[in-house]
Amino acid sequence: GNKITELYTGATPSEEMNGTGNLMDFLDEPFPDVGTYEDFHTIDWLREKSRDTDRHRKITTKSKESYWELIKSLLDAWSGWVVMLLIGMLTGTLAGVIDLAVDWMTDLKEGVCLSAFYYSHEQCCWTSNETTFDDRDKCPQWQKWAELMTGHSEGAGAYVLNYFLYVLWALLFSFLAVSLVRVFAPYACGSGIPEIKTILSGFIIRGYLGKWTLLIKTVTLVLAVSSGLSLGKEGPLVHVACCCGNLFCSLFSKYSKNEGKRREVLSAAAAAGVSVAFGAPIGGVLFSLEEVSYYFPLKTLWRSFFAALVAAFTLRAINPFGNSRLVLFYVEYHTPWYMAELVPFILLGVFGGLWGTLFIRGNIAWCRRRKTTLLGKYPVLEVIVITGITAVLAFPNPYTRRSTSELISELFNDCGALESSQLCDYVNNPNMSRPVDDIPDRPAGPGVYSALWQLALALIFKIVITIFTFGMKIPSGLFIPSMAVGAIAGRIVGIAVEQMAYHHHDWIIFKNWCRPGADCVTPGLYAMVGAAACLGGVTRMTVSLVVIMFELTGGLEYIVPLMAAAVTSKWVADAFGKEGIYESHIQLNGYPYLDVRDEFTHRTLATDVMRPRRSEPPLAVLTQDSTTVEDVETLIKDTDYNGFPVVVSRESERLIGFVQRRELTVAIKTARQKQDGVVSSSVVYFTEDNPQVAEACDPQPLKLRRILNLSPFTVTDHTPMETVVDIFRKLGLRQCLVTRSGRLLGIITKKDVLRHMAQMMNQDPESIMFN
């Protein structure tokens, strides 16, 4: 047994016997394990900040002692940048691998490359010598499944076989995805952004950013996107990047031991995630600032910038799109836009806002049903059914059959002389001499009209199916499906405006800027504006959205139309409800998240919210010099509070400080092991002067001043609640004590604030689940 004592306490058995583990020595050692938090609890930002300042002060004073300490302090200062470099490199690499894998697996549903089976359709035909310019997507090396199996490439039989195999592959991919998530990493489902927002606001979800989650999310993301479901890889890439950030945090004690510092790194990692998702580094930094981060000091801004830059570089080096561009949907439009076009742009903004509202309401209602009905018990079945419906309906329509990114890319495209797309089937006028790149407006040919029909059907299909897809138990992003809805609507509007301008160029609106034989309306631009409007309606982003859109497309001169659409869609959507999709999901899951945008306008006071209420038993407190170890242990066993206020005595109730439950438990446990003479009847002291041991027979007292927080945050009972909410939000508090002229009256926790706010908005206060 002695060996074991030595292991646990670090004292040799003889010391243990003689009780030389002195009272004061024990208190000067740091406690093991203090300062970590329980799962599903909120961190205390103020405390984390002061702990980091202490650590910094220690390092600075030590660095003056020797060269070795100086080098250590420099390494400590640089560790932040090193972490950013590593995050950027890993995130960029993973994104490149995901892009390549998705391309290959999406094409695998239709056919296979005979020269090298791991080539996607495009790569297969690049390497081919027999590809002609007109048929650039046909080459002998690429064979559809029916052709490979039966030898026939045309005809009803081949179509049916291709159709069947397309659905089969889709079902296989999604089944694999949902099974991996179910078995290995339940946290890998969904987009991850609501949880990332909650974690960045100071909440702890253990394992959400773990290694398993990272691995499974990367693999299942490829499977889910390739299965052709209406989801994107952009949101989940933010989760993947934050997992990378968490992974590298654990290598440096500066971040692994301080939850506040760790969240600064995660903010920057989120920026790197968006940077590689869209090839938009600046948009990523702004996205992190506007949408996901809670606490964003200037230092984090520079680091996010650096992480996003490294991630973009790494992705560019891998070059997954093979066009040596970072951007997903590069466009070149040759015409300026005109003032009159702002009207359709703003109308697209209105459409985006309405679609955003419809989507959020529909999706949340469906997710509620999933939580309360049998549906939730069979997540695998749900994914399979939705995939089956999606694949069966998507195959006949060429616009829904291909991957959503390709669809958006085609909708954004401008019709040049070399385009083979159906959308560019205009009637050519042979008598006109013109330079090749500037194609004037022409009447639409039959191809454009049939394309419009297919697009209208694709629009309805996307609007409905996305509502049911988002929130299933597989990784699912929302950016790409929302952009697809907007791009389809925008392209339809664009073609309509273009044909009006062509047929009625003598009308007063078109007269100033549309001469016959000149190119004046770009339908691709309308698609771009529509995509921005719909994405804005769903997520309520504004600044970062516009920056992401122009980085995504390279269309710099179209910032004003994009801004007009983004602002309109936000106004329209806000008229129906303030929450974006991520905030709605945070509310649905009951995470304790205090949104910076919520305004608290009710005239309640701190005394209305604090516990204990009139009917409840009095507050559980400790006194400074009259509580025994046994009392403390009973209190800890009987309650589940995060901490206890310490008062002078139960009569005066004058407040001295606050002590964390976890530190109290650890301190007593350690004292019982290490410090001789501490028994259940020992008195616990929180005072400054040394306790006097009156008689020899009295047990050894236990002094715990070191773990007492002498400056807990207090407000008076008459503080207005809006001030209290503001304090909680800006300082990131866990709890706040309520006093009147120095006497302790009660306590307000973050959960109480959230419940009060829910009650004031007539929602169910019990929906906020965690501490």
Side-chain angles (χ1 to χ4, degrees):
N2 280 347
K3 271 277 176 275
I4 294 175
T5 347
E6 200 172 342
L7 273 178
Y8 276 105
T9 62
T12 58
S14 61
E15 278 179 8
E16 198 78 17
M17 299 296 187
N18 304 339
T20 44
N22 186 340
L23 166 76
M24 293 312 288
D25 299 351
F26 149 67
L27 282 174
D28 295 335
E29 302 170 14
F31 293 133
D33 218 19
V34 166
T36 39
Y37 296 91
E38 312 272 338
D39 200 3
F40 294 128
H41 280 226
T42 307
I43 71 167
D44 195 334
W45 284 92
L46 280 180
R47 186 158 156 265
E48 297 297 298
K49 212 172 166 169
S50 68
R51 283 177 56 210
D52 185 59
T53 320
D54 291 347
R55 190 193 64 86
H56 203 84
R57 214 177 286 127
K58 260 189 205 146
I59 289 177
T60 323
T61 40
K62 265 193 180 169
S63 68
K64 292 171 187 151
E65 291 167 12
S66 66
Y67 275 122
W68 173 235
E69 292 293 341
L70 180 68
I71 293 169
K72 267 166 64 179
S73 77
L74 286 174
L75 286 175
D76 180 76
W78 269 92
S79 59
W81 296 102
V82 175
V83 170
M84 292 307 141
L85 183 74
L86 292 169
I87 289 171
M89 283 161 71
L90 183 59
T91 310
T93 311
L94 286 174
V97 170
I98 288 172
D99 283 338
L100 290 167
V102 164
D103 270 357
W104 174 65
M105 285 172 69
T106 306
D107 289 342
L108 194 63
K109 290 188 303 191
E110 299 199 21
V112 69
C113 188
L114 298 181
S115 53
F117 76 93
Y118 48 83
Y119 275 173
S120 69
H121 189 167
E122 206 176 352
Q123 290 166 322
C124 194
C125 293
W126 271 342
T127 48
S128 161
N129 305 328
E130 295 119 57
T131 313
T132 57
F133 186 78
D134 293 331
D135 289 335
R136 74 202 95 151
D137 45 357
K138 294 201 175 71
C139 56
Q141 276 85 347
W142 176 265
Q143 289 205 347
K144 292 201 168 172
W145 289 113
E147 196 180 348
L148 194 66
M149 291 174 173
T150 61
H152 299 298
S153 60
E154 301 299 319
Y159 182 81
V160 170
L161 186 57
N162 279 332
Y163 198 158
F164 176 69
L165 283 165
Y166 178 89
V167 176
L168 203 64
W169 277 110
L171 288 171
L172 176 71
F173 290 160
S174 67
F175 174 69
L176 268 174
V178 70
S179 311
L180 286 170
V181 169
R182 277 301 300 278
V183 178
F184 294 108
Y187 278 153
C189 65
S191 89
I193 294 183
E195 283 79 6
I196 299 286
K197 282 185 77 150
T198 313
I199 288 174
L200 286 179
S201 78
F203 192 55
I204 296 214
I205 308 179
R206 295 228 184 281
Y208 197 80
L209 300 174
K211 300 183 193 68
W212 267 113
T213 312
L214 173 63
L215 181 69
I216 299 296
K217 186 123 189 177
T218 312
V219 175
T220 52
L221 184 51
V222 174
L223 289 163
V225 176
S226 314
S227 68
L229 282 162
S230 181
L231 46 84
K233 62 179 186 317
E234 278 58 26
L237 268 174
V238 174
H239 185 180
V240 167
C242 285
C243 289
C244 298
N246 197 41
L247 184 72
F248 291 126
C249 275
S250 56
L251 304 179
F252 296 87
S253 65
K254 174 176 171 183
Y255 297 111
S256 61
K257 291 212 172 91
N258 190 311
E259 292 289 348
K261 295 294 282 178
R262 184 192 299 241
R263 276 158 181 66
E264 291 177 29
V265 174
L266 296 179
S267 287
V274 177
S275 167
V276 290
F278 292 112
I282 302 173
V285 176
L286 287 172
F287 174 81
S288 180
L289 173 65
E290 181 183 3
E291 192 57 30
V292 291
S293 293
Y294 195 81
Y295 170 65
F296 203 85
L298 203 55
K299 188 169 62 182
T300 309
L301 182 71
W302 304 327
R303 293 206 173 149
S304 310
F305 190 74
F306 179 64
L309 170 81
V310 175
F313 263 135
T314 312
L315 186 64
R316 170 71 186 72
I318 296 175
N319 193 4
F321 305 118
N323 56 5
S324 60
R325 287 212 178 89
L326 255 184
V327 242
L328 269 166
F329 315 117
Y330 187 77
V331 288
E332 289 174 85
Y333 301 140
H334 301 292
T335 47
W337 57 278
Y338 300 89
M339 280 308 285
E341 288 185 279
L342 273 177
V343 176
F345 292 153
I346 286 173
L347 286 174
L348 281 171
V350 173
F351 169 76
L354 293 172
W355 140 250
T357 306
L358 168 82
F359 173 76
I360 291 171
R361 298 217 170 148
N363 181 253
I364 292 295
W366 177 247
C367 289
R368 276 225 169 86
R369 286 211 57 143
R370 183 186 290 133
K371 279 194 155 181
T372 51
T373 54
L374 268 177
L375 247 179
K377 290 210 176 67
Y378 305 109
V380 180
L381 188 67
E382 184 193 10
V383 171
I384 299 262
V385 169
I386 300 265
T387 310
I389 293 171
T390 308
V392 168
L393 293 176
F395 186 84
N397 186 338
Y399 290 105
T400 47
R401 184 189 314 176
R402 67 188 60 178
S403 78
T404 319
S405 304
E406 283 174 33
L407 166 67
I408 297 174
S409 196
E410 182 172 331
L411 293 169
F412 280 6
N413 243 340
D414 194 14
C415 286
L418 312 175
E419 282 300 326
S420 59
S421 157
Q422 232 192 335
L423 283 168
C424 294
D425 179 26
Y426 289 93
V427 179
N428 279 322
N429 185 346
N431 319 341
M432 288 175 71
S433 58
R434 56 168 193 272
V436 168
D437 65 337
D438 185 33
I439 297 192
D441 279 352
R442 299 154 296 169
V448 175
Y449 286 116
S450 68
L452 280 178
W453 265 111
Q454 289 167 341
L455 280 178
L457 289 171
L459 179 65
I460 296 166
F461 168 68
K462 282 276 180 210
I463 283 178
V464 175
I465 204 78
T466 311
I467 289 177
F468 296 104
T469 308
F470 187 68
M472 289 197 303
K473 290 281 175 254
I474 44 172
S476 53
L478 196 58
F479 284 111
I480 292 286
S482 322
M483 282 172 67
V485 167
I488 295 172
R491 187 78 189 208
I492 293 173
V493 171
I495 293 175
V497 174
E498 179 192 49
Q499 292 306 308
M500 264 168 65
Y502 174 80
H503 291 295
H504 307 284
H505 52 77
D506 47 353
W507 282 10
I508 191 145
I509 18 173
F510 301 124
K511 215 167 197 163
N512 306 338
W513 47 282
C514 262
R515 298 183 310 288
D519 182 16
C520 54
V521 178
T522 314
L525 172 60
Y526 286 76
M528 195 165 119
V529 171
C534 280
L535 188 49
V538 172
T539 59
R540 309 298 159 85
M541 300 190 293
T542 47
V543 189
S544 47
L545 173 71
V546 171
V547 176
I548 287 175
M549 285 307 293
F550 80 68
E551 278 192 277
L552 196 58
T553 52
L556 259 176
E557 55 198 279
Y558 304 108
I559 287 188
V560 175
L562 287 173
M563 285 170 81
V567 167
T568 313
S569 83
K570 184 173 166 58
W571 281 341
V572 171
D574 277 353
F576 293 100
K578 283 271 186 280
E579 281 99 21
I581 183 71
Y582 301 132
E583 288 79 18
S584 307
H585 271 270
I586 286 175
Q587 270 192 4
L588 179 75
N589 293 330
Y591 296 131
Y593 180 75
L594 262 179
D595 198 352
V596 188
R597 295 170 230 181
D598 284 344
E599 283 152 15
F600 187 85
T601 47
H602 309 284
R603 304 199 47 183
T604 46
L605 301 175
T607 178
D608 306 330
V609 182
M610 71 176 197
R611 318 273 296 274
R613 304 275 156 74
R614 291 223 165 80
S615 55
E616 294 176 351
L619 200 60
V621 293
L622 298 170
T623 54
Q624 66 173 8
D625 52 12
S626 58
T627 323
T628 62
V629 172
E630 191 177 12
D631 297 339
V632 177
E633 285 175 332
T634 322
L635 187 64
I636 289 173
K637 206 171 77 198
D638 294 347
T639 61
D640 53 359
Y641 303 127
N642 281 329
F644 305 100
V646 178
V647 292
V648 175
S649 65
R650 295 201 183 260
E651 293 70 54
S652 77
E653 290 203 331
R654 257 188 39 242
L655 179 68
I656 296 179
F658 191 82
V659 59
Q660 297 282 348
R661 170 202 188 87
R662 181 155 183 149
E663 300 192 356
L664 204 54
T665 330
V666 172
I668 289 183
K669 197 170 136 198
T670 322
R672 285 201 159 211
Q673 286 176 355
K674 283 198 185 180
Q675 196 184 334
D676 200 34
V678 171
V679 289
S680 294
S681 56
S682 299
V683 178
V684 178
Y685 281 88
F686 291 102
T687 51
E688 230 161 50
D689 41 333
N690 271 346
Q692 302 300 313
V693 183
E695 293 153 31
C697 58
D698 273 9
Q700 183 96 10
L702 174 60
K703 186 173 166 190
L704 291 181
R705 177 134 182 127
R706 257 203 66 215
I707 60 167
L708 181 64
N709 174 8
L710 290 168
S711 53
F713 215 92
T714 56
V715 293
T716 64
D717 54 341
H718 283 294
T719 313
M721 244 350 255
E722 55 184 313
T723 314
V724 176
V725 170
D726 231 24
I727 292 172
F728 267 90
R729 198 181 277 156
K730 296 207 168 97
L731 295 176
L733 299 182
R734 271 181 109 171
Q735 70 270 321
C736 163
L737 300 171
V738 185
T739 59
R740 181 192 294 154
S741 49
R743 278 188 60 226
L744 177 69
L745 294 180
I747 186 169
I748 298 179
T749 61
K750 189 170 178 180
K751 203 169 170 184
D752 296 330
V753 173
L754 283 158
R755 282 193 168 148
H756 181 65
M757 287 169 78
Q759 232 164 346
M760 289 291 154
M761 292 171 182
N762 298 324
Q763 294 160 347
D764 171 28
E766 289 310 307
S767 66
I768 289 140
M769 302 195 286
F770 305 108
N771 297 325

